[in-house]
Amino acid sequence: MKAAIFVEPGKMVARDLPKPQVEFPTDAVIRIVRACVCGSDLWWYRGISKRTGNEPVGHEAIGVVESVGDEVTNVQPGDFVIVPFTHGCGHCAACLAGFDGDCLNFKHQGSPVGYQAEYLRYENANWALVKVPGQPSDYTDEQLNDLLALSDVMATGFHAAKSAEVHPGDTVVVMGDGAVGLSGVLSAKLLGARRIIAMSRHEDRQAVAREFGATDIVPERGDEAVAKVMALTDGAGADAVLECVGNEQSVATAVQVGRPGAVVGRVGIPQKPEMNTNNLFWRNIGLRGGIAAVTTHDREGLLEAVLNGKIHPGKVFTQRFDLDHVQDAYAAMDQRTAIKSLLIISE
């Protein structure tokens, strides 16, 4: 099979690898229909974080189940599924509490796994995979993109909104205009926010943010951004803040633009090992969030919202590629010519 391989920072290739097989009773082998590049993939692509070279990569996909292990009974060959980047077991304390992204029983085992490939061996398949009615051929191109977004980016944006406790009528600030931040805008709208302030300085992303429900755009950064948000909210600050970047400036701004008692929902992967949380204390600002509970969020409403046409998170995919052009897919995101790169793998 063909798979995307990370060679070294700045270099991606497609190579032929052995087709994966069921290795453990909880596995499923999936024929991938669509995959994509994540903003977090750019960390090791840019050399910011270390990753072992010459291994398959990717963690977002939709596909069709081809074979299953003996302990997999909830899905069967032929099922169309969303393939989350998480692998919840469904019965540990974390999964039962709705935090399957922190499953206490999952530990990667066996051969390396990469979703940007023609086939994938998926672990903890019995509970974590999300079944989609029908087959890929039953859906339009746009609907397939919407479903693909549920494997990570939309669920992660939604996790930020849920962590920030967004309620109907709230004023919400969204830090970050990448695919996760834009999904956060869409999630805030889905949860009933009245006013959504998107922090963005790129016109193409501002346009998507407004389409997703943003009422205001703030391109400033740092102290100027804080002052602008405070002016927009008559000095009060936002009811909820979605932090979808992870760098020091974004987090520092996020904790300053909420009103007293607001909660910052944080899903941007931390890019600094430590941060000063003392400023939270003086204004009763809450800070929570982490790895998205993809299976839980999809099953509790996101899949239905996509199937009913209520949301269209797939609009974050602005360029498409095949595996032979995976280098171009990464370069497009690295150079910000694409918000999110789509990989068409099969029909």
Side-chain angles (χ1 to χ4, degrees):
M1 69 156 190
K2 189 178 294 184
I5 303 294
F6 168 67
V7 179
E8 61 186 17
K11 186 175 182 180
M12 299 291 304
V13 297
R15 289 180 183 162
D16 286 328
L17 297 179
K19 181 180 174 182
Q21 305 293 325
V22 169
E23 298 179 22
F24 301 93
T26 54
D27 288 349
V29 173
I30 298 165
R31 175 178 61 83
I32 302 301
V33 174
R34 296 190 179 197
C36 52
V37 181
C38 181
S40 63
D41 294 334
L42 296 180
W43 284 39
W44 40 262
Y45 177 80
R46 291 170 172 165
I48 297 172
S49 62
K50 293 184 178 180
R51 186 184 183 109
T52 302
N54 297 306
E55 283 192 351
V57 294
H59 58 262
E60 302 167 88
I62 54 175
V64 177
V65 177
E66 184 164 276
S67 60
V68 298
D70 292 340
E71 295 181 15
V72 179
T73 57
N74 289 334
V75 295
Q76 60 187 1
D79 284 345
F80 179 28
V81 292
I82 296 165
V83 191
F85 77 91
T86 52
H87 300 263
C89 70
H91 54 77
C92 70
C95 289
L96 291 173
F99 292 91
D100 56 89
D102 297 289
C103 178
L104 299 175
N105 290 327
F106 175 69
K107 183 178 181 180
H108 175 68
Q109 55 184 348
S111 58
V113 171
Y115 291 36
Q116 294 166 12
E118 292 180 318
Y119 291 89
L120 164 73
R121 180 182 65 85
Y122 185 81
E123 303 174 84
N124 267 9
N126 192 56
W127 185 84
L129 290 172
V130 180
K131 286 198 288 188
V132 180
Q135 291 295 305
S137 58
D138 297 325
Y139 296 90
T140 66
D141 179 75
E142 290 79 10
Q143 288 172 322
L144 290 175
N145 287 351
D146 289 342
L147 292 167
L148 174 59
L150 299 188
S151 64
D152 179 356
V153 63
M154 180 61 198
T156 296
F158 189 77
H159 193 68
K162 291 291 285 186
S163 296
E165 301 177 10
V166 174
H167 295 107
D170 277 355
T171 292
V172 178
V173 169
V174 180
M175 306 295 305
D177 63 358
V180 172
L182 294 172
S183 297
V185 171
L186 185 56
S187 298
K189 181 69 172 179
L190 183 64
L191 292 173
R194 176 185 61 83
R195 191 173 193 181
I196 303 170
I197 303 170
M199 313 293 274
S200 173
R201 52 186 173 183
H202 302 94
E203 290 186 4
D204 58 337
R205 297 161 191 246
Q206 292 173 0
V208 176
R210 289 196 182 278
E211 186 175 359
F212 278 0
T215 55
D216 302 271
I217 302 292
V218 173
E220 290 84 0
R221 292 290 182 270
D223 292 342
E224 291 183 357
V226 174
K228 185 68 174 291
V229 171
M230 287 302 173
L232 289 171
T233 58
D234 296 326
D239 301 301
V241 184
L242 280 54
E243 199 290 302
C244 303
V245 181
N247 66 29
E248 185 176 9
Q249 184 182 67
S250 178
V251 174
T253 302
V255 301
Q256 294 179 75
V257 296
R259 61 159 169 76
V263 178
V264 177
R266 186 181 183 189
V267 295
I269 300 175
Q271 297 178 28
K272 187 179 180 180
E274 58 187 40
M275 62 173 286
N276 186 342
T277 60
N278 288 342
N279 290 334
L280 301 172
F281 177 86
W282 300 109
R283 296 175 60 239
N284 274 283
I285 300 292
L287 177 66
R288 64 174 303 170
I291 302 168
V294 180
T295 302
T296 296
H297 292 325
D298 285 356
R299 289 194 180 137
E300 289 186 348
L302 293 183
L303 176 58
E304 182 180 4
V306 163
L307 294 178
N308 291 342
K310 190 173 184 179
I311 59 173
H312 296 287
K315 290 184 178 182
V316 297
F317 298 109
T318 55
Q319 289 193 44
R320 59 182 60 206
F321 306 85
D322 57 22
L323 279 174
D324 289 329
H325 294 86
V326 67
Q327 172 69 33
D328 296 332
Y330 275 76
M333 286 187 64
D334 180 43
Q335 297 164 14
R336 291 186 178 271
T337 60
I339 297 176
K340 193 167 178 68
S341 293
L342 172 69
L343 292 171
I344 305 294
I345 309 297
S346 67
E347 296 298 326

